[in-house]
Amino acid sequence: CLYTRKKKKPPSTMVVGVKRTDPEEFGTRSSRRLRRTSNMVPARIQDSSGVSTYCSLDIGVLNKVQKSRSRYNTIMQVKLDEDEPFPALIRKIQIEPVSDRIQHVNLVRYNPEVGIEVDIPVLWINEEKSPGVKKGGVVNQVLQKVRVVCRSTDIPKTIEVDIAGMDVGDRKWLTELSLPENMEVAPLPHYDNCPALTIGRTRVSMLEERKQREAAAAEAGDGKKKK
């Protein structure tokens, strides 16, 4: 079966920032000066209706989230000026290739009532308990990530696929996916007949199967000759 591992909910990640209202503060020079003279980076936060808020955010917390594999499905708490904190997720991060420093970040304000689409990495477990793998088969991961529609404040970091008992030729379909409450697989067209992974045959396993068939045929032939 496919399932998500239940883990303890991590503490909320709080990011402090300052709103920017002057259009001149959004320019290249101003953004460069902001990054050079402070521990802040320019950012844009968009809500579900498409309205954007421009601000500067603390780079320290963003660096920690950016280095995480689950950076695009980590719910952060954003506090701008004296406003109440609100949940948000990273949508895009612009990185300077030489210094590896964050240059700009785009976030989306998260409203559980509306929901949001996020991509969750797919992992498989219990490979040693798969008959297909023991025969020389290989795990073909069709999807590295699965896009889901989330209306929950608890987004799993990964989706784990249990391949115990899977033989060569077996597949695990997205329709078999068991997700937490208020979460479902996104209705993407190519998801209709798409497996999460399969157990495929290698040349070694195909050659071994051929040898077994030839040996069985030879044995059957010898049995007929004796008669």
Side-chain angles (χ1 to χ4, degrees):
C1 63
L2 285 82
Y3 64 92
T4 54
R5 177 180 293 179
K6 293 183 179 180
K7 297 181 179 180
K8 292 183 179 180
K9 187 176 179 180
S12 298
T13 305
M14 179 69 73
V15 184
V16 179
V18 179
K19 292 181 182 179
R20 301 293 179 180
T21 57
D22 187 352
E24 294 184 358
E25 294 180 331
F26 306 146
T28 303
R29 291 184 178 180
S30 299
S31 297
R32 189 183 297 118
R33 183 171 59 251
L34 174 68
R35 292 190 294 265
R36 187 176 62 250
T37 60
S38 68
N39 199 35
M40 311 282 279
V41 291
R44 185 183 71 163
I45 304 174
Q46 191 175 43
D47 63 18
S48 56
S49 61
V51 178
S52 296
T53 300
Y54 293 89
C55 59
S56 301
L57 297 177
D58 179 20
I59 194 174
V61 177
L62 292 175
N63 274 332
K64 294 179 181 180
V65 176
Q66 187 270 332
K67 294 176 182 178
S68 169
R69 184 178 181 181
S70 58
R71 55 183 172 273
Y72 293 114
N73 58 3
T74 297
I75 299 178
M76 301 182 296
Q77 294 295 322
V78 180
K79 179 175 177 58
L80 300 179
D81 297 332
E82 301 302 322
D83 295 348
E84 289 293 321
F86 58 86
L89 291 93
I90 294 176
R91 268 294 174 254
K92 184 178 180 181
I93 303 177
Q94 182 181 346
I95 304 292
E96 207 286 317
V98 177
S99 64
D100 200 31
R101 179 183 171 90
I102 297 177
Q103 301 292 292
H104 187 275
V105 60
N106 288 344
L107 298 95
V108 58
R109 191 161 180 162
Y110 179 50
N111 183 354
E113 295 181 0
V114 177
I116 192 171
E117 291 189 357
V118 294
D119 294 326
I120 301 180
V122 175
L123 302 175
W124 71 78
I125 60 173
N126 290 329
E127 184 176 0
E128 70 282 358
K129 298 180 181 179
S130 167
V133 174
K134 291 179 180 179
K135 293 177 183 177
V138 293
V139 181
N140 298 319
Q141 188 168 346
V142 181
L143 297 175
Q144 299 297 322
K145 297 180 179 179
V146 174
R147 180 162 296 183
V148 301
V149 179
C150 179
R151 297 180 180 84
S152 169
T153 55
D154 188 11
I155 302 177
K157 303 301 180 184
T158 59
I159 294 174
E160 293 184 343
V161 183
D162 188 353
I163 66 172
M166 288 185 65
D167 209 337
V168 174
D170 289 348
R171 302 180 178 186
K172 289 293 185 180
W173 300 93
L174 289 180
T175 52
E176 300 177 74
L177 202 63
S178 179
L179 295 173
E181 189 178 358
N182 297 322
M183 192 176 298
E184 59 188 15
V185 175
L188 301 182
H190 64 281
Y191 276 5
D192 290 343
N193 295 300
C194 182
L197 57 79
T198 66
I199 304 293
R201 294 189 296 175
T202 62
R203 287 186 177 181
V204 175
S205 63
M206 293 173 67
L207 182 60
E208 185 65 28
E209 185 178 329
R210 180 180 176 182
K211 288 181 178 179
Q212 291 177 0
R213 289 200 304 267
E214 290 177 348
E219 186 177 347
D222 292 342
K224 290 181 180 179
K225 290 180 180 180
K226 291 180 179 180
K227 292 180 180 180

